[in-house]
Amino acid sequence: MIPRYFDWAATTPMCAQALQAYQQTALTYIGNPSSLHKAGIDAAAFLKEQRGQTAILLGVPATTITYTSGATESDSIPILAQLWRRTPGRIIFSSIEHDAISQYRRLLQDKGFDIKILRARDGYVDPDELASLLTADTQLVCVMLVNNVVGTVQPIAEIAQRIRIFQKETGKMIHLHCDAVQALGKIPIDLIHLDVDSAAFSAHKFQGPRGVGILYNRTANLTALSKGGGQERMLRPGTENTAGIAAMNAALDNTMNGLPENLAKATVLRRDFEQRLSSLRGVALVSPSMDSNGRVSPYIAAISIHGIPSEIFTRVMYDRGYCISSGSACSNNTKLKSDTLLTSMGFSPSTAASTIRISFGPATSREELAQLCDTIQEESEKLQHIVRK
Ligand code: PLP
């Protein structure tokens, strides 16, 4: 394990089980699952078995599982499917979606869709506000489960409830898509209870390989924009990444087994971290506190270093051997985007500009966190002293 790694929300190291599953599958199932010879038929049977395994781990039917290249692709499928509609209607995005979703706003607007933004004051969307945005021509609603910058957990089941009531009243179907990337393996998820139509997951966020993901989709009416060999029931054409899928399942199995214990440990660590933070001068918690409302992931903590731009602080911490993030690390020009996200939540531009993200994983220890806090204190004092001069 890399010491001083506090960027688990960006990506995670592959676990031993995933590495082993990858190697074993790559060596055993060499065929293309679409080929009609023995190697292909064996690979197809293995893939079927794996799909059943993923479905069990997610608590959903196997027919709802589509394997993709990651969450960016899983998010894109239900969004781009809207382009097949004859008449573009309304699409609602929460204001705190990851770029994998929010970057489609412009394209959809250009294609004539009526894009509405559901605000997330203090990091949370309001189901009643969502209900007020629903119209008879609303086609799609996208709200993430755990925000990747501040860790807020959105009220997805309540959002779904408002949508289903509206559907009953109007007889119109509205697709609810949920980016649940930062939730899977970290906090318990019940997709059936959440009542979403589709959800996106990514293996590298739970110690699986990069470049593999899942689209959960329970509807029959999504038509992919990508065309090709018809794999994955036409939703995601392209030769399946058999070894990657097996590795993802091994990681998912591992992470689900460890979830209660790891969550309890992360919650203790987070409280400890918050307590240490409260005694640091010029440093403040931006994420909601663990004890404020119970709707925050203990694994993601955004903090601001008063008066110090986050990219400078991240760089200084890098020089001290720490891997932390100046926002969401999964897009270029990250800084600007997380600033915009934070100001949209109601934080001042100066807080947004000085916010860094610390994210934990199962390997994070109390000692490591204590050292991190000491280093944050030392470096922030030094920099703040320079700024004051
Ligand atoms: N959605 C969220 C919330 C994320 O944090 C990320 C990650 O980086 C993504 C989507 C994109 O995931 P991937 O890297 O698998 O495409």
Side-chain angles (χ1 to χ4, degrees), residues 70-72 75 98 144 148 179 181-182 202 204-205 330:
T72 299
D75 280 331
H98 186 271
M144 72 198 324
N148 51 300
D179 177 327
V181 168
Q182 296 292 347
S202 181
H204 72 100
K205 304 290 184 178
C330 18

Side-chain angles (χ1 to χ4, degrees), residues 98-171:
H98 186 271
D99 274 354
I101 287 185
S102 63
Q103 286 288 316
Y104 286 108
R105 287 180 350 200
R106 174 83 187 277
L107 168 76
L108 293 165
Q109 213 151 18
D110 287 353
K111 295 287 172 201
F113 287 86
D114 170 27
I115 304 300
K116 287 283 176 248
I117 304 301
L118 175 62
R119 284 172 303 175
R121 275 190 224 91
D122 302 325
Y124 295 101
V125 300
D126 174 0
D128 289 333
E129 195 169 327
L130 182 266
S132 74
L133 293 175
L134 297 174
T135 49
D137 70 341
T138 302
Q139 294 169 197
L140 173 70
V141 174
C142 295
V143 183
M144 72 198 324
L145 184 50
V146 173
N147 177 261
N148 51 300
V149 176
V150 291
T152 48
V153 181
Q154 303 306 315
I156 300 297
E158 289 81 353
I159 294 271
Q161 192 198 29
R162 301 302 192 282
I163 291 174
R164 304 312 164 209
I165 291 170
F166 186 86
Q167 275 182 186
K168 253 195 198 141
E169 287 167 2
T170 59

